[in-house]
Amino acid sequence: MPLQTVVDFVQEKAPLFQELSDRIWESPELGLHEVRSSAVLADALEADGFHVERGVAWMPTAFTATYGEGRPVIGLLGEFDALPSLSQARGVAEHRPLVAGGPGHGCGHNLLGTAAAAAAMAVKRAIDRGQVRGTVRFYGCPAEETLVGKVFMVKAGLFADVDCALTWHPGSNNAVANGSSLAMNSAKFTFHGVSSHAAAAPDRGRSALDAVELMNVGVNFLREHVPSTTRIHYVITNGGLGPNVVPNEAQVWYYVRAPKRRDVEEIYGRVLNIAKGACQMTDTTHDVRLLCGCYDTLANRVLGDRMHANMTAIGAPKFTEEERHLARQLQASVGEVAVAKAIEQMRKHGAEVAPGTELYEAVAAQWGYGEVGGGSTDVGDVSYVVPTAQVNTVTAPIATPGHSWQNVVAVGSSIGQKGMRYAAQVMATTCCDLMRDPELVSKAQAEFREATAGSPYVSPVRDVAEPPLNG
Ligand SMILES: [Zn+2]
């Protein structure tokens, strides 16, 4: 049975967790610049008696907050970064930016970090009451959206003493996130040429933009000769300033993604070669800056099963007519077809959900081992150094996409609050289970050792000295 103490604690302290998550929602900050958001959670944990270390892993907004002593050491992962161009007014079912072009919480990280902090505080209460023994550590992880925070926190050795890690992500389903995600590298290629008058002296110029274009052509030909699950995308961040000047500098920013880290390493190596080729073709030089990279995600069935059991035992939140009304309005803005498709997808993935449902109120069956989703997350790096599990809970209506203004509204509403508290309860009860049952920890670790045998974790940023604090 889930430990009732921690379930009740999260419910009792609902106003505190609403205040913390609202403060983060109201003050959205981009990755590595989450000065206020990071402080909201670090201050709250410190006030509750946690030992807080700020500015860890070369990042001013990264921190850890630890309570308790001895084994096991359980990590709870929290995020708090926002997304660009998603500024949005609260409580309205229409796109209404508060600050033109400003950031917003389209991924619900205002709830993500707060729920993990709430879970940590709930576990502290159980430790204080002598119901469980061990150490709980909240990880204040910045810059998830740019896949930076946890990769550097792992590199800094912050997970070296951790036995298991738990986390969650806001969504429109109540389910254990058993699927994997794409491993990735993010790199900027800057080419250097010689500027000259594009009409009067083109022979004197060497175009850095030509090199960018030829690199892109080369990579587009590469697409035919990589596994079909590979994803490569780029944007030209500098293409010169005027057509009458041969650009002496140009830059292209690439993401290379694949289901396994080793494939990213291999394909990225070929992209590096193409960049060299583009230099030779254009008589230019270049430099490459790897901003970050991450692993795919390794699920842990032992931990996932326990989270599922706790999700089921606690029971999914129910929503009021008022919340359903807001959800219906948000769904109307994405269209009926999108809603029908999303429901079909959920049914395929183990959720019993009736047509026309606005907000899912049950717990989906276990699904997704061996499946790979479309995105990437730096939870992947933690999952390859420590047995890790994560759940999704309902913080938004079915079919409103992540990274959308509709999502900003949902995660800023009471719908988001309910999903946040549920996630906190699931993480806290699972953490307490691990503290009460050493065999559960051993089983999770045995599964982890078997899954990672023969392929030790190699940091994607092993050659990168510091996180990209300035872009
Ligand atoms: Zn997210």
Side-chain angles (χ1 to χ4, degrees):
M1 279 300 289
L3 191 62
Q4 198 59 35
T5 302
V6 297
V7 175
D8 294 345
F9 176 87
V10 173
Q11 206 55 42
E12 271 168 40
K13 297 276 184 181
L16 169 66
F17 303 132
Q18 165 140 22
E19 188 214 317
L20 299 178
S21 58
D22 277 353
R23 278 168 61 196
I24 298 171
W25 190 93
E26 284 158 8
S27 176
E29 297 165 298
L30 297 180
L32 299 175
H33 301 282
E34 316 94 326
V35 178
R36 292 182 300 267
S37 309
S38 160
V40 164
L41 296 179
D43 291 351
L45 286 157
E46 201 164 53
D48 197 45
F50 281 72
H51 171 68
V52 175
E53 285 185 59
R54 299 175 200 240
V56 296
W58 310 279
M59 293 173 284
T61 54
F63 70 96
T64 57
T66 308
Y67 190 80
E69 55 187 17
R71 308 301 288 233
V73 180
I74 310 299
L76 298 169
L77 313 178
E79 300 163 10
F80 34 71
D81 57 329
L83 287 155
S85 302
L86 281 175
S87 172
Q88 170 64 34
R90 192 192 284 276
V92 292
E94 62 176 29
H95 188 203
R96 200 187 296 165
L98 291 173
V99 180
H105 273 288
C107 211
H109 293 187
N110 60 312
L111 305 174
L112 206 170
T114 307
M121 291 182 196
V123 173
K124 174 181 177 282
R125 174 179 277 193
I127 293 173
D128 288 344
R129 289 191 174 174
Q131 292 172 304
V132 297
R133 286 168 65 170
T135 304
V136 60
R137 185 178 302 133
F138 173 89
Y139 285 83
C141 310
E144 189 281 332
E145 297 294 355
T146 44
L147 305 166
V148 170
K150 298 180 201 70
V151 183
F152 281 92
M153 291 171 97
V154 170
K155 186 182 175 183
L158 297 180
F159 290 89
D161 63 341
V162 177
D163 290 292
C164 294
L166 304 172
T167 190
W168 76 294
H169 200 286
S172 51
N173 198 356
N174 297 308
V176 181
N178 293 317
S180 187
S181 53
L182 296 171
M184 189 181 112
N185 268 6
S186 162
K188 286 183 174 172
F189 296 78
T190 308
F191 292 88
H192 311 282
V194 179
S195 56
S196 75
H197 196 298
D203 53 305
R204 306 264 298 277
R206 298 290 181 268
S207 170
L209 178 60
D210 286 359
V212 163
E213 293 199 77
L214 286 164
M215 177 182 175
N216 295 346
V217 169
V219 171
N220 288 330
F221 273 88
L222 173 70
R223 290 180 199 279
E224 190 185 349
H225 306 287
V226 293
S228 57
T229 45
T230 308
R231 293 283 181 277
I232 308 176
H233 12 270
Y234 60 80
V235 289
I236 296 175
T237 45
N238 176 8
L241 295 170
N244 59 342
V245 180
V246 173
N248 70 333
E249 191 165 304
Q251 188 187 65
V252 59
W253 183 6
Y254 267 87
Y255 280 8
V256 177
R257 308 197 208 216
K260 287 286 167 201
R261 182 68 213 161
R262 61 175 177 273
D263 293 328
V264 169
E265 296 271 356
E266 196 254 319
I267 296 159
Y268 179 68
R270 292 163 76 190
V271 171
L272 291 178
N273 281 340
I274 290 169
K276 283 183 204 158
C279 284
Q280 288 205 315
M281 284 189 277
T282 53
D283 202 10
T284 58
T285 60
H286 79 309
D287 51 73
V288 185
R289 184 166 164 233
L290 181 68
L291 297 175
C292 204
C294 72
Y295 265 66
D296 45 291
T297 309
L298 177 64
N300 187 285
R301 281 179 195 245
V302 171
L303 295 179
D305 287 350
R306 182 53 63 107
M307 289 188 106
H308 186 260
N310 286 331
M311 275 190 120
T312 308
I314 295 164
K318 306 288 180 217
F319 296 95
T320 63
E321 187 44 45
E322 199 184 334
E323 288 160 343
R324 254 192 283 280
H325 177 69
L326 174 64
R328 260 195 302 279
Q329 288 182 307
L330 292 171
Q331 282 184 325
S333 71
V334 298
E336 271 177 37
V337 176
V339 175
K341 268 192 187 165
I343 288 179
E344 194 185 304
Q345 195 72 3
M346 283 177 73
R347 292 165 79 114
K348 225 190 272 178
H349 296 174
E352 277 185 35
V353 46
T357 302
E358 304 95 353
L359 293 159
Y360 185 59
E361 293 181 324
V363 178
Q366 291 261 51
W367 180 89
Y369 288 110
E371 301 286 331
V372 184
S376 304
T377 172
D378 60 7
V379 172
D381 292 71
V382 178
S383 77
Y384 272 90
V385 294
V386 172
T388 302
Q390 50 185 335
V391 296
N392 296 124
T393 67
V394 173
T395 60
I398 293 170
T400 60
H403 299 196
S404 67
W405 66 262
Q406 290 93 341
N407 229 33
V408 184
V409 173
V411 303
S413 76
S414 59
I415 300 169
Q417 290 297 311
K418 286 184 176 174
M420 175 184 82
R421 290 197 294 272
Y422 184 38
Q425 289 168 333
V426 173
M427 287 186 287
T429 50
T430 308
C431 183
C432 288
D433 288 349
L434 290 162
M435 289 178 163
R436 290 190 294 184
D437 183 359
E439 201 169 317
L440 190 62
V441 176
S442 310
K443 278 186 190 162
Q445 290 182 334
E447 179 188 333
F448 172 81
R449 274 195 301 275
E450 195 179 324
T452 54
S455 53
Y457 176 81
V458 179
S459 174
V461 294
R462 56 196 174 276
D463 301 324
V464 182
E466 278 184 1
L469 292 175
N470 300 309

